[in-house]
Amino acid sequence: MQKEYIDKYYMTEVDTYANSIYCHHAVMGESVTEHSHEKGQFLYTEGGVVFLKTAEKSYFLPARHYIWIPPHVKHSIHPSSPEVVMRNLYFPKYSTDTAFFDKVNIYPVNDLLIELIMFTNRWNGNIFPEEEPRYSIAKAFKLILPELSQTELPLALPYPKNEKLKQIITYLEQNIAENISFKSLAEHFDISERTLARLFQKELAMSYIQYFTILRMLTSLKLLLDDKLSVNEVALRVGYNSLPTFSNTFNKVIGVRPSEYVKNRNLLL
């Protein structure tokens, strides 16, 4: 694919025709400011991690994964590198759409979906219903997603609104290599363990351990993909002295072992 930098104004064309499927493949270049569209968006990226932010959460989209963004969801897109390639398909709503298409989620991409994504590389701009067989093929791409995406991954962290919890999250980000116990965290911020536990559940809908584990694994993705560190180096950087423990945790959260992820990270770059 010839790498052409993204034209920011293509987004104004996405909803020009309500019944079209709109395709756009380009190098991102820079962040895309907050926007929304009438159509649902399939986004797959190559060449780096993309951070996608909504009002509620920050999503981490690594290689070999895609994100589905339902219609009308305001979001901004922030690539970790200007060389990140975006592959976008925007779909109108169909009467056959299931609840799968109503929520923002990240899913791993298998080999079949990779082949389908690369097939769409020949398309750019609107595909109209009368353009057969292109339209039926593009529509089938959307309809098959629920079948190929059985495992949603928790590659997102919610934003806290509580000021104290914001300070705590910043502290965890800055000390990610440290094994910070729940008790020591509560003591450091002069707050009772009971109050802190309630704060995490109320603000983030998860426990401290769940949050810190996901934070560490998402940081690992970035270190593996952007900084090209070895699996062993990454494990130490995010506070794991045991490589098997790190590998098992990474596999549980991300859906693949870090060694396999490293093997696949250069695909389609």
Side-chain angles (χ1 to χ4, degrees):
M1 181 189 118
Q2 181 183 1
K3 288 189 174 183
E4 295 181 357
Y5 279 89
I6 193 167
D7 174 4
K8 293 183 203 172
Y9 301 104
Y10 87 91
M11 285 186 294
T12 63
E13 301 174 19
V14 168
D15 292 324
T16 301
Y17 303 98
N19 63 347
S20 75
I21 296 171
Y22 192 90
C23 306
H24 190 84
H25 304 263
V27 175
M28 287 199 64
E30 60 185 53
S31 297
V32 179
T33 55
E34 188 178 62
H35 64 287
S36 64
H37 20 76
E38 299 289 320
K39 293 174 179 171
Q41 179 181 0
F42 171 97
L43 170 61
Y44 177 82
T45 64
E46 302 159 11
V49 174
V50 166
F51 304 91
L52 186 139
K53 298 180 180 178
T54 67
E56 292 81 29
K57 291 185 178 181
S58 178
Y59 294 85
F60 296 66
L61 181 62
R64 301 283 292 192
H65 294 77
Y66 79 88
I67 190 167
W68 173 261
I69 308 163
H72 311 296
V73 173
K74 285 188 177 180
H75 59 280
S76 58
I77 301 171
H78 310 269
S80 62
S81 157
E83 292 297 316
V84 171
V85 175
M86 281 207 317
R87 300 191 182 278
N88 294 288
L89 286 95
Y90 299 86
F91 297 95
K93 192 171 180 63
Y94 300 120
S95 58
T96 53
D97 282 358
T98 63
F100 173 90
F101 297 106
D102 293 335
K103 54 187 178 180
V104 180
N105 255 327
I106 290 175
Y107 303 92
V109 169
N110 62 16
D111 291 340
L112 173 58
L113 195 49
I114 288 259
E115 291 297 324
L116 293 172
I117 290 166
M118 297 314 294
F119 185 84
T120 72
N121 188 37
R122 67 195 69 189
W123 303 330
N124 250 315
N126 289 293
I127 301 176
F128 296 101
E130 57 270 22
E131 295 181 62
E132 293 291 7
R134 287 207 307 162
Y135 188 85
S136 289
I137 294 170
K139 182 178 179 181
F141 184 103
K142 177 185 180 182
L143 299 182
I144 202 172
L145 287 178
E147 289 298 317
L148 298 182
S149 311
Q150 299 291 323
T151 309
E152 58 187 70
L153 297 175
L155 301 180
L157 286 172
Y159 294 124
K161 293 183 173 62
N162 181 278
E163 288 303 321
K164 173 72 82 174
L165 194 52
K166 285 180 183 178
Q167 295 172 24
I168 292 169
I169 296 308
T170 300
Y171 176 78
L172 293 176
E173 291 170 347
Q174 293 172 348
N175 296 277
I176 202 159
E178 305 298 323
N179 287 312
I180 306 167
S181 70
F182 188 67
K183 181 179 180 181
S184 65
L185 184 66
E187 288 175 352
H188 183 83
F189 284 92
D190 194 24
I191 186 172
S192 73
E193 292 181 50
R194 186 176 180 184
T195 300
L196 185 57
R198 282 179 177 170
L199 206 50
F200 267 91
Q201 286 294 344
K202 180 182 176 184
E203 289 275 319
L204 306 175
M206 63 180 75
S207 70
Y208 162 68
I209 292 298
Q210 287 173 318
Y211 186 92
F212 200 30
T213 300
I214 294 172
L215 178 63
R216 282 173 153 176
M217 294 307 106
L218 297 181
T219 302
S220 299
L221 285 174
K222 187 176 187 307
L223 293 172
L224 286 169
L225 193 61
D226 290 347
D227 298 355
K228 304 294 191 292
L229 299 182
S230 70
V231 174
N232 196 48
E233 287 174 313
V234 170
L236 292 172
R237 286 276 193 101
V238 297
Y240 285 81
N241 294 319
S242 164
L243 196 55
T245 301
F246 170 72
S247 180
N248 290 337
T249 306
F250 190 98
N251 184 43
K252 185 176 179 182
V253 175
I254 307 301
V256 64
R257 295 203 171 271
S259 54
E260 288 298 312
Y261 186 81
V262 169
K263 264 192 231 176
N264 293 329
R265 71 182 169 191
N266 291 322
L267 284 178
L268 306 174
L269 300 189

